[in-house]
Amino acid sequence: MKLRKWLPLLLVIVTALVAVIYISGRETVPEGTLAVDTKGETVYVSLAELTAEEISATLTDAKGEEHSLEAKGVWLSAVLEAAGVDMRAVSQVTVLASDEYSATVTGEELRTDGKVCLLLEGDEAPELVVLVDPNRKRNVSSVERITVD
């Protein structure tokens, strides 16, 4: 009977300990950079050193409705090239947000112009936008890390 009384408290303590261990073990990405993980190495790409351009596109959502996009950004392939990645060897990349949400983009999509970009609006963290993805499930806000496979 006493175990039932203490079980909820014990579960809260164990959960808190696991959270602290997980958070303290995460590598933080310096502000104003993106971490690009490739071949067991991490390269930090400065967002300030990337040349942003005007990205214009017409997006079609899952309902067939069109929405226009006008924003400053860079192509994801340019970020990878700035990190020294050979784009011909990329099979896919996983883009990870600060909240651990992720999306995968194929190498073929990356090598095709006008499909995958990172929006850079003001002081906000970059946002991945896959321009050919009708349901926008692969859009990732607050991008921190890119893993190359």
Side-chain angles (χ1 to χ4, degrees):
M1 194 61 139
K2 288 185 178 186
L3 180 62
R4 284 188 182 204
K5 182 178 178 181
W6 292 100
L7 187 59
L9 179 61
L10 182 62
L11 288 174
V12 168
I13 291 170
V14 169
T15 303
L17 284 173
V18 169
V20 166
I21 291 168
Y22 172 75
I23 290 172
S24 65
R26 280 183 58 193
E27 179 184 335
T28 58
V29 177
E31 191 172 327
T33 66
L34 289 173
V36 179
D37 298 326
T38 181
K39 299 178 186 172
E41 179 184 348
T42 300
V43 176
Y44 294 97
V45 176
S46 170
L47 296 173
E49 293 178 11
L50 297 172
T51 304
E53 59 184 83
E54 194 65 39
I55 306 278
S56 298
T58 300
L59 307 174
T60 305
D61 64 20
K63 296 178 184 176
E65 297 174 2
E66 291 186 345
H67 305 275
S68 64
L69 171 70
E70 302 282 335
K72 290 265 187 207
V74 294
W75 300 109
L76 184 55
S77 57
V79 175
L80 297 173
E81 288 169 350
V85 174
D86 178 5
M87 292 302 298
R88 297 171 298 187
V90 175
S91 62
Q92 69 179 21
V93 298
T94 302
V95 179
L96 190 67
S98 59
D99 65 359
E100 301 292 321
Y101 182 77
S102 66
T104 301
V105 179
T106 67
E108 183 179 331
E109 288 172 318
L110 287 170
R111 289 185 288 273
T112 304
D113 289 339
K115 286 195 174 185
V116 186
C117 66
L118 285 175
L119 300 183
L120 306 172
E121 291 294 323
D123 291 336
E124 295 179 26
E127 178 183 357
L128 173 76
V129 177
V130 181
L131 300 173
V132 294
D133 194 7
N135 58 16
R136 297 186 188 163
K137 288 186 178 177
R138 292 190 293 169
N139 288 7
V140 178
S141 298
S142 301
V143 173
E144 280 191 350
R145 183 173 300 279
I146 302 166
T147 303
V148 180
D149 296 320

